[in-house]
Amino acid sequence: MTRSRDIESLFARFGGNAGDYQEVRAEAEADDARARWPLLGVLDPLEQRRVAPPGEAPASRAHTLATSPRPGARMAAEPARVDESVPAHAPVAASSVKAAQPGLLLKKLFSAPPEPAAEPAPEKAVPLERLFDRLRGGGRATVAPDVAPGHEYVGQPTEDGRPWFIGGGRRS
Amino acid sequence: MTSAIDPLLDQHVSPQWRGLLGALAAEFEDQLGHDELRQLMARVGARFAAAHPLRACESTTELAAALNSQWCAIQWGHVELVDERDCLRITHYGAPLRAFGRDALAWAPAFLQGSYQGWLTSMGATDLDVVQAGPVDDDFAIEFRLGRGAR
């Protein structure tokens, strides 16, 4: 039985106007979601609406978040509730990525490989051809060893004359 | 953090191969010097890269994704690429080199070095060298640099 029919049935049985019914569970779920995934608190609900493909029905929870008041105001008015059942490794907000990096690294080490179709972050992408040209065109040897006093250049070069290491001491 | 992750890394070393690889590494150490072993492992890495070519990549993020797709498929850890302007820093996390034994950290990382050299050369990094950024004490994070090396 769908939610709307359920509510209408209740009001039909006990009297009243179904239109006056306020769905608080969705709001509570939204608060729970924002408490568990703080990154949702920095998303712009209006942006969510603009990017959603026309005709695509969003998930009920996402829809609830999109129609909520601005998350910042709501979080200021109501204390975040923590769901005890949420595992400790719930996703974290972008602002705390640095602090969560060890957990993120563990996830990368021991999780399934990412989807090949995943788009890379464009602001971090450096064209390879440009990178290689820049590295080739440097005015100094870019990976020559910076040997500290008291240390000697490490190891013999490879078969074609390339060094093994930069920095450090020689190992026999 | 290294000590906390050690059990996880240990679990990723196949029990089928740990004993054999440890004995192999010990015999290698008795027969060959570290430089010869590095050369051997670098050639092994180059052979591995040739046998597992990457998909075409246009950017560093695509390259990192392609590399990690390869490494993750065989549970060989994770790599991060950082453009340091004068070099490309390649940090490989969680390679199961401990399967060769702790003493092998003096030469076993050359496998990664050879692999990255092979892949990057195939991507167009001709006349650029992958060099290990110093000796390593543990296998959790091993750093390499791609740049215009001294020849």
Side-chain angles (χ1 to χ4, degrees), chain B residues 97-108:
Chain B
L97 295 174
R98 59 185 57 204
F100 292 103
R102 189 165 185 81
D103 292 342
L105 289 180
W107 47 269

Side-chain angles (χ1 to χ4, degrees), chain A residues 5 15-16 39 75 80 82 108 129 139 148 150 156 158 166:
Chain A
R5 288 177 59 192
L39 181 60
M75 291 179 74
V82 177
K108 287 177 180 177
E129 192 174 339
Q156 295 178 351
T158 61
I166 55 175

Side-chain angles (χ1 to χ4, degrees), chain A residues 102 105-106 108-116 120-121 124-129 131-145 153-172, chain B residues 1 5 8-9 12 34-35 38-39 42-43 55 57-63 72 77-78 80 83 85-88 93-94 106 110 113 117 120 123-129 131-135 140 145-151:
Chain A
L105 188 55
L106 281 173
K108 287 177 180 177
L109 284 174
F110 300 107
S111 62
E115 291 297 324
K124 294 182 182 177
V126 178
L128 288 181
E129 192 174 339
L131 169 69
F132 296 153
D133 284 344
R134 172 168 27 96
L135 296 181
R136 272 188 287 263
R140 55 189 171 90
T142 58
V143 289
Y153 179 59
V154 172
Q156 295 178 351
T158 61
E159 294 170 310
D160 52 4
R162 291 176 296 183
W164 285 115
F165 300 121
I166 55 175
R170 187 185 187 93
R171 298 184 63 129
S172 57
Chain B
M1 185 166 92
I5 208 170
L8 294 171
L9 293 177
H12 267 246
H34 281 179
D35 288 324
R38 277 190 285 266
Q39 290 174 9
R43 286 200 298 269
R55 58 179 181 265
C57 301
E58 298 294 326
S59 69
T60 51
T61 47
E62 287 182 21
L63 177 59
C72 194
H78 175 84
E80 288 184 349
D83 181 5
R85 300 304 301 172
D86 60 348
C87 70
L88 177 69
Y93 297 97
Q113 187 172 355
Q117 185 73 66
L120 288 165
M123 289 284 163
T126 52
D127 298 326
L128 294 173
D129 297 330
V131 180
Q132 186 173 329
F140 176 67
R145 308 277 175 86
L146 173 74
R148 191 165 63 89
R151 286 174 184 256

Side-chain angles (χ1 to χ4, degrees), chain A residues 35-59:
Chain A
R36 276 184 274 161
W37 297 291
L39 181 60
L40 292 176
V42 302
L43 294 178
D44 181 354
L46 294 179
E47 184 64 25
Q48 293 295 312
R49 285 187 185 153
R50 283 195 291 272
V51 300
E56 178 180 347

Side-chain angles (χ1 to χ4, degrees), chain A residues 23-33 81:
Chain A
E23 177 62 77
V24 299
R25 181 167 172 266
E27 292 298 327
E29 285 182 352
D31 287 343
D32 270 348
R81 290 188 291 136

Side-chain angles (χ1 to χ4, degrees), chain A residues 52-70:
Chain A
E56 178 180 347
S60 60
R61 182 169 296 201
H63 180 68
T64 300
L65 293 172
T67 56
S68 300
R70 286 197 60 80

